[in-house]
Amino acid sequence: MRAALDEVVARRVNAGAAVPAFTCYGAGTALAVVGAAESLRLPVILLVAPSSAAAGGGPRLISTLRHIADDARVPVCVQLDHAKDEALIRQGIEAGADAVLADGSHLSPEDNAAFVRRVRASADVVVEAELGSVPGAEDRAAVQETDLAGKTDPATVGAFLDASGAQLLACGVGNVHGRYRGTPRIDWPLLARIRQEAGAVPLVLHGASGIPAADLRAAAAAGVGKVNVNTELRTAMLAAAEENLGRCRAAGEDMLSLTGAVTAAAEAVVREVLTTLAGAAAVPT
Ligand code: 13P
């Protein structure tokens, strides 16, 4: 069912929980994500990577995800992730995205805020911003040093949020996209400081793949309202495809069985993350 992303996140934050968001490269992944969310009766967010949105079938992928989201028995939002380009954002919203990460993290804080402000003024969708930066690529799982993470300067948060009007804030607190070298080290004092500076604006933790469940729970308890996952889902789906390919080929090129195995692997990851983030008061919505 359709629901405003900021309201869904606010409700879960009040319950001491966070809402996970999963990158979907196709309808099959979205069906797995929504199926897992429905089985736990929890809300979820479908993310579209900017590379997918900009590809030939991008608008159709987004409109397909829109349909899957609207048809779901739980609140599901469709967000265009890490969009740096206003034309791509317009196209994504026209196709059915109801939220966007207007990613100006490569700009100065002033230009970043102006970019986010323009996106907010141009469309009636929920707008997330990123301040500081989360290193690593969105679609490729290269190993990143957690220490190199571009941490958010808490002193800039209040003015940035005032100037940008962002409704959610992605921040750098030691998190990276892709794989962590060694154990991820979240900067908890920094997260607490950013939480304080951000007031009522929910924080977003990108690069959740590889962060231990206890840390994800601690992040939700520390006021993170949305958690983005991509790599972990890709790893599980590719492993399931590899594991089942020979068997399905030998069984008369049984495509249904192969996609079933891949979907089951994705669902297992999504259920685990949803359960981890469901909070002490895991009240289904
Ligand atoms: P991971 O690939 O590290 O899970 O990061 C996903 C993400 O942050 C999407 O925006």
Side-chain angles (χ1 to χ4, degrees):
M1 69 187 73
R2 205 179 267 249
L5 190 147
D6 54 342
E7 290 168 16
V8 170
V9 169
R11 268 202 301 277
R12 297 305 289 154
V13 166
N14 286 339
V19 185
F22 298 93
T23 307
C24 299
Y25 290 94
T29 318
L31 290 170
V33 171
V34 169
E38 285 181 332
S39 73
L40 293 168
R41 296 198 290 133
L42 289 166
V44 79
I45 298 160
L46 307 177
L47 295 175
V48 179
S51 51
S52 299
R60 280 187 174 148
L61 172 64
I62 293 172
S63 59
T64 302
L65 266 46
R66 174 78 272 146
H67 178 74
I68 292 169
D70 289 351
D71 193 53
R73 294 191 300 273
V74 291
V76 182
C77 309
V78 179
Q79 184 182 29
L80 175 56
D81 202 11
H82 289 293
K84 294 183 161 72
D85 178 71
E86 286 175 60
L88 188 68
I89 291 173
R90 265 196 306 279
Q91 180 182 284
I93 292 169
E94 269 165 33
D98 53 14
V100 61
L101 164 53
D103 186 352
S105 58
H106 54 295
L107 305 170
S108 69
E110 295 73 25
D111 290 349
N112 186 354
F115 169 61
V116 174
R117 170 68 63 190
R118 276 199 305 280
V119 173
R120 273 223 66 185
S122 69
D124 185 22
V125 295
V126 174
V127 180
E128 175 181 334
E130 181 168 316
L131 187 62
S133 72
V134 181
E138 184 56 37
D139 306 306
R140 307 252 184 285
V143 176
Q144 302 289 328
E145 297 285 351
T146 187
D147 282 344
L148 296 180
K151 293 182 181 176
T152 303
D153 176 358
T156 62
V157 167
F160 175 78
L161 289 175
D162 286 346
S164 67
Q167 291 147 295
L168 296 107
L169 182 68
C171 47
V173 288
N175 46 324
V176 301
H177 288 121
R179 296 198 199 292
Y180 289 83
R181 188 182 303 285
T183 309
R185 287 189 299 279
I186 300 296
D187 188 334
W188 299 108
L190 175 61
L191 181 60
R193 177 84 200 281
I194 296 170
R195 173 64 285 150
Q196 209 168 21
E197 299 293 332
V201 175
L203 302 182
V204 182
L205 184 70
H206 283 245
S209 296
I211 296 182
D215 282 359
L216 291 183
R217 271 194 291 272
V224 166
K226 172 173 171 273
V227 172
N228 283 19
V229 179
N230 181 350
T231 302
E232 229 159 65
L233 208 51
R234 298 204 313 275
T235 303
M237 291 169 83
L238 289 173
E242 201 165 47
E243 225 169 82
N244 289 279
L245 188 59
R247 178 184 62 76
C248 294
R249 219 175 229 150
E253 306 194 330
D254 187 345
M255 202 62 203
L256 195 59
S257 177
L258 183 66
T259 53
V262 171
T263 300
E267 278 184 358
V269 170
V270 174
R271 262 198 302 275
E272 194 173 328
V273 177
L274 277 163
T275 307
T276 297
L277 294 174
V283 186
T285 52

